[in-house]
Amino acid sequence: MAPAGDREGYWGPTTSTLDWCEENYAVTWYIAEFWNTVSNLIMIIPPIFGAIQSVRDGLEKRYIASYLALTVVGMGSWCFHMTLKYEMQLLDELPMIYSCCIFVYCMFECFKMKNSVNYHLLFTLVLFSLIVTTVMYGMLVFTLVLRSVYIVTWVYPWLRGLGYTSLGLFLLGFLLWNIDNIFCESLRNFRKKVPPIIGVTTQFHAWWHILTGLGSYLHILFSLYTRTLYLRYRPKVKFLFGIWPVILFEPLRKH
């Protein structure tokens, strides 16, 4: 966590219970943690296009909700790191729980009839979200995601690459997140001694956003690929500009 003594800026004194290692208002007077803020763009822009494409393709609403939920997480995190206000902190943390519940629902419903609704699972996840909102949140969500990925990759072994890449990005991001917390003072001293362009690469909480944002996006693709494959579509992974993965598919031809 950031030590006391950071400068104040446009949003006034910090009221959040967390203040990360990045120096406050070091880049601009209007953004408390600049790199921790702009790194959320990976969770905002690509999922919006994913949601639009899902609507055009006539996909099940759960996948539209998945993309939009990831966008809300990115926007909440943007607001939190930009202001370091407590109310914005809640806007950052709670959508993470809700979006994970949507991801879990999609994964567990991959092998069901089209447009089916599992009311029991839906009720359980909504209840879990309510409990977490009022009490606490923890590793249960991560455990559920791990279990759902295991189920799918056991049935479709060739999907392991995409599923495990998603989890690998989460784990790498989590490692960098801890390094940023534990060695904050050392990182700050290091940034003072090196050119800014090198110091930026040590903003590990920003890397956490990038890696987990990409991991979450890949998780949605993983679930969507599995679902459309089960529905006998022909999904294909394409790379926009040779870099960004998207899924294009054709419905089963009618005879």
Side-chain angles (χ1 to χ4, degrees), residues 16-248:
S16 62
T17 61
L18 298 172
D19 188 357
W20 303 101
C21 189
E22 182 178 351
E23 295 82 353
N24 295 348
Y25 298 101
V27 177
T28 171
W29 190 64
Y30 295 99
I31 300 179
E33 296 176 343
F34 182 82
W35 298 110
N36 287 351
T37 299
V38 299
S39 58
N40 286 292
L41 287 174
I42 196 171
M43 288 187 278
I44 298 174
I45 297 177
I48 290 177
F49 285 100
I52 294 173
Q53 188 62 44
S54 296
V55 172
R56 290 176 177 174
D57 292 335
L59 299 181
E60 293 165 305
K61 292 182 176 59
R62 68 188 71 162
Y63 292 103
I64 301 172
S66 294
Y67 282 121
L68 293 179
L70 182 56
T71 298
V72 171
V73 170
M75 294 175 65
S77 183
W78 176 291
C79 293
F80 169 43
H81 290 287
M82 180 175 67
T83 66
L84 291 180
K85 294 296 184 181
Y86 178 70
E87 53 271 24
M88 296 297 111
Q89 180 181 345
L90 297 180
L91 190 62
D92 169 45
E93 295 173 346
L94 293 177
M96 295 182 195
I97 304 302
Y98 307 148
S99 62
C100 284
C101 287
I102 296 175
F103 297 163
V104 168
Y105 182 86
C106 289
M107 292 299 297
F108 273 85
E109 294 299 294
C110 278
F111 307 113
K112 301 294 179 65
M113 293 178 59
K114 188 174 182 179
N115 294 319
S116 63
V117 179
N118 187 336
Y119 289 103
H120 291 93
L121 178 59
L122 194 61
F123 173 80
T124 301
L125 292 173
V126 170
L127 180 62
F128 171 73
S129 298
L130 292 175
I131 294 174
V132 165
T133 301
T134 55
V135 183
M136 60 180 293
Y137 57 90
M139 291 299 292
L140 180 56
V141 171
F142 185 66
T143 303
L144 288 173
V145 172
L146 276 176
R147 181 182 173 189
S148 63
V149 169
Y150 173 79
I151 291 173
V152 175
T153 54
W154 180 77
V155 178
Y156 290 125
W158 55 86
L159 294 179
R160 285 177 182 158
L162 185 58
Y164 290 154
T165 298
S166 173
L167 290 175
L169 290 171
F170 270 101
L171 293 175
L172 178 57
F174 184 67
L175 174 63
L176 295 178
W177 180 82
N178 278 282
I179 292 175
D180 190 73
N181 289 335
I182 297 171
F183 301 104
C184 178
E185 190 63 37
S186 298
L187 288 171
R188 284 195 162 198
N189 291 332
F190 175 78
R191 291 170 192 150
K192 294 176 181 178
K193 300 176 183 178
V194 298
I197 193 172
I198 296 178
V200 167
T201 63
T202 65
Q203 298 288 357
F204 291 137
H205 192 87
W207 281 109
W208 154 259
H209 289 162
I210 293 172
L211 293 171
T212 55
L214 178 57
S216 298
Y217 179 83
L218 291 179
H219 182 83
I220 296 174
L221 294 190
F222 172 68
S223 175
L224 183 55
Y225 190 98
T226 305
R227 179 61 173 164
T228 54
L229 196 65
Y230 176 77
L231 294 176
R232 298 177 179 272
Y233 290 29
R234 293 190 290 273
K236 295 181 180 179
V237 178
K238 300 291 185 179
F239 290 88
L240 295 180
F241 309 108
I243 299 175
W244 193 258
V246 296
I247 287 183
L248 302 176

